[in-house]
Amino acid sequence: MLKTKDLTGLCNISAGEIDEILTLAASFKRRIKAGEKKFSDLEGRTLVTLFYENSTRTRTSFELAGKYLGAHEVNISASSSSVQKGETLIDTGKTLDALKVDFIAIRHPMAGAPHLLGRTVRASVLNGGDGMNEHPTQALLDMLTMRETFGSLSGLKVAILGDIKHSRVAKSNLFGLSKMGAQVWVYAPRTLIPAGFEQLGAHVARSREEAIEGAHVVMGLRIQLERQSGGLFPSLSEYSRFYGVKEEMLSLAAPGAIVMHPGPVNRGIELTPGLIDGDSSRIEDQVTSGLCVRMAALRLLCQYREKNSL
Ligand code: CP
């Protein structure tokens, strides 16, 4: 069982809790792959997805996770809600509490918004991405796909190449993978490596080759054009030429290495189409893992709520 009401980040949960989520998610994944879509774990509960930023994978998979588990499910888009009339996040949360909502999956451009909401509401809050801070369920789904491929996360070398500075995915993977005994290597232009990343446990490679050599996982990250204030690298074509990952580079990686990307992908920028669509790619499997990890997180938070009479 999880030890907290909310799932806001991987920096504040234990290796044991991560293992519990992944084990339950793997069991849901076997059943989902066998065609099951009807579970009763969340019967009578209500899930709201509250997204202040665009999303395809995270929002859809939270919605389907709730539906498959038997919950009532409602989606609120910031663009069509009373947020547009100036309502604060806390007042929105209090409104959802008054409607007896049990779970709120939130994506917000401000780092810390899910933590603030979680401290304010009775509902359990699941972080679907907060600014440049964390995206815990993305890292959990990445870890599920890695663990299913290699049997264990301990001892893996995971190379993450792309926009590390603006990436909540990189941070959550660094926190989660380090706790599970994997090594995280990053490579990007120095302007896209956040200060202090090495102090958090990352290895900063001096070249693409150093990052990829012996890696079990080669993960591309999207260049986040919407978060760039400009001037961090000269052009997309130069980025692709000097920092993108190409098929031939995979020969440097460990035998059986896999290619991952959280999506959405800028095709031909972070990874070549041959890598995205090739045999080593696990990008579609990541999406299935996302559904199952979110089902597991909801189920375990539900257990917490039952035990604590919430
Ligand atoms: N990986 C991810 O968060 O994708 P979406 O933005 O589509 O949710």
Side-chain angles (χ1 to χ4, degrees):
M1 196 178 71
L2 300 183
K3 295 189 186 73
T4 51
K5 172 179 82 69
D6 307 309
L7 177 58
T8 50
L10 296 193
C11 75
N12 56 5
I13 70 170
S14 66
E17 288 172 287
I18 292 173
D19 183 63
E20 192 175 2
I21 297 170
L22 297 183
T23 302
L24 181 58
S27 138
F28 276 130
K29 197 166 167 186
R30 280 190 292 277
R31 295 170 70 183
I32 288 283
K33 282 185 152 181
E36 252 185 278
K37 288 186 184 168
K38 202 168 162 52
F39 304 79
S40 57
D41 305 62
L42 257 61
E43 232 164 53
R45 303 283 183 163
T46 305
L47 163 69
V48 165
T49 54
L50 177 61
F51 273 54
Y52 292 77
E53 282 184 358
N54 295 340
S55 166
T56 299
R57 291 152 204 77
T58 312
R59 193 168 87 178
T60 309
S61 58
F62 265 123
E63 288 175 13
L64 287 177
K67 284 188 207 301
Y68 290 175
L69 290 171
H72 307 291
E73 198 282 321
V74 178
N75 159 45
I76 301 176
S77 281
S79 60
S80 59
S81 72
S82 290
V83 168
Q84 292 302 324
K85 300 177 193 166
E87 186 169 67
T88 66
L89 178 62
I90 290 177
D91 285 340
T92 302
K94 284 181 175 165
T95 303
L96 296 177
D97 257 0
L99 293 168
K100 308 299 174 201
V101 163
D102 300 290
F103 304 98
I104 303 172
I106 179 172
R107 172 170 288 185
H108 200 284
M110 293 284 296
H115 310 68
L116 175 67
L117 185 64
R119 283 198 297 275
T120 312
V121 296
R122 196 165 176 273
S124 288
V125 173
L126 298 101
N127 181 359
D130 62 322
M132 296 191 287
N133 182 36
E134 280 220 51
H135 192 349
T137 55
Q138 177 67 46
L140 287 165
L141 76 88
D142 293 337
M143 287 192 275
L144 177 59
T145 287
M146 292 178 210
R147 198 166 89 161
E148 288 185 327
T149 306
F150 298 105
S152 166
L153 297 169
S154 182
L156 293 185
K157 176 178 177 180
V158 179
I160 307 181
L161 299 95
D163 185 350
I164 311 295
K165 182 183 172 78
H166 299 96
S167 177
R168 49 202 180 202
V169 177
K171 274 183 212 75
S172 285
N173 263 304
L174 176 58
F175 293 138
L177 285 164
S178 303
K179 285 179 184 180
M180 302 308 280
Q183 274 195 3
V184 176
W185 285 72
V186 295
Y187 183 64
R190 287 303 307 192
T191 48
L192 293 183
I193 303 278
F197 219 56
E198 279 162 308
Q199 281 70 49
L200 292 176
H203 301 262
V204 179
R206 285 158 296 180
S207 66
R208 268 181 296 205
E209 290 70 22
E210 189 186 14
I212 295 172
E213 191 167 15
H216 302 88
V217 178
V218 178
M219 183 187 294
L221 287 185
R222 188 170 67 87
I223 294 298
Q224 299 194 24
L225 300 171
E226 74 276 24
R227 292 191 213 277
Q228 303 278 1
S229 48
L232 296 178
F233 57 88
S235 70
L236 279 180
S237 63
E238 277 161 314
Y239 179 87
S240 162
R241 187 163 157 220
F242 294 109
Y243 296 94
V245 185
K246 330 258 183 265
E247 281 101 308
E248 61 273 19
M249 294 174 188
L250 217 51
S251 62
L252 294 169
I258 59 172
V259 174
M260 299 177 71
H261 194 297
V265 184
N266 296 309
R267 275 184 174 263
I269 306 293
E270 302 100 30
L271 301 173
T272 53
L275 283 175
I276 295 166
D277 303 319
D279 292 342
S280 303
S281 174
R282 292 293 180 279
I283 295 172
E284 285 181 21
D285 184 76
Q286 286 174 264
V287 179
T288 312
S289 291
L291 169 66
C292 303
V293 151
R294 288 166 184 129
M295 289 173 73
L298 285 165
R299 175 69 192 109
L300 292 169
L301 288 178
C302 191
Q303 279 177 358
Y304 178 94
R305 297 181 69 74
E306 282 161 7
K307 181 151 186 266
N308 293 282
S309 305
L310 289 172

Short mmCIF file of all heavy atoms in Angstrom, two decimals, residues 51 54-59 107 128 135 138 141 168-169 222 262-264 294, ligand 1:
data_model
loop_
_atom_site.label_atom_id
_atom_site.label_comp_id
_atom_site.label_asym_id
_atom_site.label_seq_id
_atom_site.Cartn_x
_atom_site.Cartn_y
_atom_site.Cartn_z
N PHE A 51 -6.87 19.12 -16.48
CA PHE A 51 -5.66 19.38 -17.26
C PHE A 51 -5.61 20.83 -17.72
O PHE A 51 -6.47 21.29 -18.45
CB PHE A 51 -5.57 18.40 -18.44
CG PHE A 51 -4.91 17.10 -18.07
CD1 PHE A 51 -5.37 16.35 -16.99
CD2 PHE A 51 -3.81 16.61 -18.78
CE1 PHE A 51 -4.75 15.16 -16.62
CE2 PHE A 51 -3.19 15.42 -18.41
CZ PHE A 51 -3.66 14.70 -17.33
N ASN A 54 -2.07 20.80 -22.61
CA ASN A 54 -2.48 19.77 -23.57
C ASN A 54 -1.89 18.40 -23.21
O ASN A 54 -0.81 18.32 -22.62
CB ASN A 54 -2.00 20.14 -24.98
CG ASN A 54 -2.69 21.39 -25.48
OD1 ASN A 54 -3.75 21.76 -24.97
ND2 ASN A 54 -2.10 22.05 -26.45
N SER A 55 -2.58 17.37 -23.62
CA SER A 55 -2.10 16.00 -23.42
C SER A 55 -2.91 15.06 -24.29
O SER A 55 -4.12 15.27 -24.47
CB SER A 55 -2.29 15.60 -21.95
OG SER A 55 -2.14 14.21 -21.78
N THR A 56 -2.26 14.04 -24.81
CA THR A 56 -2.99 12.93 -25.44
C THR A 56 -2.87 11.70 -24.54
O THR A 56 -3.87 11.17 -24.04
CB THR A 56 -2.42 12.61 -26.83
OG1 THR A 56 -2.57 13.77 -27.65
CG2 THR A 56 -3.16 11.45 -27.48
N ARG A 57 -1.62 11.26 -24.31
CA ARG A 57 -1.40 9.98 -23.62
C ARG A 57 -1.84 10.00 -22.16
O ARG A 57 -2.56 9.11 -21.71
CB ARG A 57 0.09 9.62 -23.66
CG ARG A 57 0.59 9.28 -25.02
CD ARG A 57 2.08 9.60 -25.15
NE ARG A 57 2.40 9.80 -26.52
CZ ARG A 57 2.12 10.91 -27.21
NH1 ARG A 57 1.54 11.93 -26.63
NH2 ARG A 57 2.40 10.99 -28.48
N THR A 58 -1.36 11.00 -21.43
CA THR A 58 -1.57 10.99 -19.97
C THR A 58 -3.05 11.13 -19.65
O THR A 58 -3.61 10.35 -18.85
CB THR A 58 -0.76 12.12 -19.32
OG1 THR A 58 0.57 12.07 -19.82
CG2 THR A 58 -0.74 11.98 -17.82
N ARG A 59 -3.71 12.11 -20.26
CA ARG A 59 -5.12 12.32 -19.93
C ARG A 59 -5.97 11.14 -20.38
O ARG A 59 -6.80 10.63 -19.62
CB ARG A 59 -5.64 13.62 -20.56
CG ARG A 59 -6.98 13.98 -19.97
CD ARG A 59 -7.40 15.37 -20.31
NE ARG A 59 -8.11 15.38 -21.58
CZ ARG A 59 -8.63 16.46 -22.12
NH1 ARG A 59 -8.48 17.63 -21.54
NH2 ARG A 59 -9.26 16.40 -23.25
N ARG A 107 -2.71 18.03 -14.50
CA ARG A 107 -1.50 18.53 -15.20
C ARG A 107 -1.57 20.05 -15.12
O ARG A 107 -2.62 20.64 -15.42
CB ARG A 107 -1.45 18.06 -16.64
CG ARG A 107 -0.31 18.74 -17.42
CD ARG A 107 -0.09 18.14 -18.77
NE ARG A 107 0.52 16.82 -18.66
CZ ARG A 107 0.92 16.10 -19.71
NH1 ARG A 107 0.77 16.59 -20.94
NH2 ARG A 107 1.46 14.92 -19.55
N GLY A 128 -0.05 14.55 -13.08
CA GLY A 128 0.11 14.19 -14.50
C GLY A 128 1.11 15.09 -15.20
O GLY A 128 1.10 15.17 -16.43
N HIS A 135 6.91 14.21 -13.46
CA HIS A 135 5.85 13.52 -14.20
C HIS A 135 5.94 12.06 -13.74
O HIS A 135 6.42 11.18 -14.45
CB HIS A 135 6.11 13.65 -15.70
CG HIS A 135 4.96 13.25 -16.59
ND1 HIS A 135 3.84 12.59 -16.13
CD2 HIS A 135 4.77 13.41 -17.93
CE1 HIS A 135 3.02 12.36 -17.15
NE2 HIS A 135 3.56 12.86 -18.24
N GLN A 138 4.69 8.95 -15.71
CA GLN A 138 5.48 8.70 -16.93
C GLN A 138 6.72 7.88 -16.59
O GLN A 138 7.03 6.89 -17.26
CB GLN A 138 5.88 10.02 -17.59
CG GLN A 138 6.76 9.85 -18.83
CD GLN A 138 6.05 9.19 -20.00
OE1 GLN A 138 4.93 9.56 -20.32
NE2 GLN A 138 6.68 8.23 -20.64
N LEU A 141 5.79 4.32 -15.82
CA LEU A 141 5.49 3.51 -17.01
C LEU A 141 6.77 3.19 -17.77
O LEU A 141 6.93 2.09 -18.32
CB LEU A 141 4.44 4.20 -17.89
CG LEU A 141 4.84 5.39 -18.77
CD1 LEU A 141 5.35 4.97 -20.13
CD2 LEU A 141 3.63 6.31 -18.95
N ARG A 168 10.27 17.30 -17.10
CA ARG A 168 9.81 16.67 -15.87
C ARG A 168 9.97 15.15 -15.97
O ARG A 168 10.11 14.46 -14.96
CB ARG A 168 8.36 17.05 -15.60
CG ARG A 168 7.43 16.89 -16.78
CD ARG A 168 6.20 17.75 -16.65
NE ARG A 168 5.27 17.63 -17.76
CZ ARG A 168 4.38 18.56 -18.06
NH1 ARG A 168 4.32 19.68 -17.38
NH2 ARG A 168 3.54 18.38 -19.05
N VAL A 169 9.97 14.62 -17.20
CA VAL A 169 10.16 13.16 -17.39
C VAL A 169 11.57 12.77 -16.96
O VAL A 169 11.77 11.76 -16.27
CB VAL A 169 9.93 12.78 -18.87
CG1 VAL A 169 10.18 11.30 -19.08
CG2 VAL A 169 8.52 13.15 -19.31
N ARG A 222 11.70 14.90 -26.03
CA ARG A 222 11.24 15.92 -26.98
C ARG A 222 11.92 17.27 -26.72
O ARG A 222 12.09 17.68 -25.58
CB ARG A 222 9.72 16.07 -26.82
CG ARG A 222 9.05 16.94 -27.83
CD ARG A 222 7.54 16.79 -27.70
NE ARG A 222 7.03 17.34 -26.46
CZ ARG A 222 6.68 18.60 -26.27
NH1 ARG A 222 6.76 19.46 -27.26
NH2 ARG A 222 6.22 19.02 -25.10
N PRO A 262 9.03 9.33 -24.42
CA PRO A 262 7.73 9.50 -23.75
C PRO A 262 6.64 9.98 -24.69
O PRO A 262 5.45 9.85 -24.39
CB PRO A 262 8.02 10.54 -22.66
CG PRO A 262 9.24 11.27 -23.14
CD PRO A 262 10.04 10.27 -23.93
N GLY A 263 7.04 10.58 -25.82
CA GLY A 263 6.08 11.15 -26.74
C GLY A 263 5.56 12.48 -26.18
O GLY A 263 5.66 12.72 -24.98
N PRO A 264 4.98 13.33 -26.99
CA PRO A 264 4.97 13.21 -28.45
C PRO A 264 6.38 13.43 -29.03
O PRO A 264 7.17 14.16 -28.46
CB PRO A 264 4.02 14.34 -28.89
CG PRO A 264 3.97 15.29 -27.74
CD PRO A 264 4.29 14.54 -26.50
N ARG A 294 -1.22 3.64 -14.37
CA ARG A 294 -2.23 4.56 -13.80
C ARG A 294 -3.35 3.78 -13.13
O ARG A 294 -3.87 4.19 -12.10
CB ARG A 294 -2.71 5.52 -14.90
CG ARG A 294 -1.59 6.52 -15.20
CD ARG A 294 -1.70 7.34 -16.43
NE ARG A 294 -0.47 8.13 -16.56
CZ ARG A 294 0.30 8.22 -17.64
NH1 ARG A 294 -0.03 7.58 -18.75
NH2 ARG A 294 1.40 8.95 -17.63
N1 CP B 1 4.25 11.62 -22.40
C1 CP B 1 3.23 12.49 -22.20
O1 CP B 1 3.08 13.06 -21.11
O2 CP B 1 2.43 12.65 -23.28
P1 CP B 1 1.14 13.59 -23.34
O3 CP B 1 1.64 15.02 -23.29
O4 CP B 1 0.47 13.25 -24.63
O5 CP B 1 0.29 13.29 -22.14
#
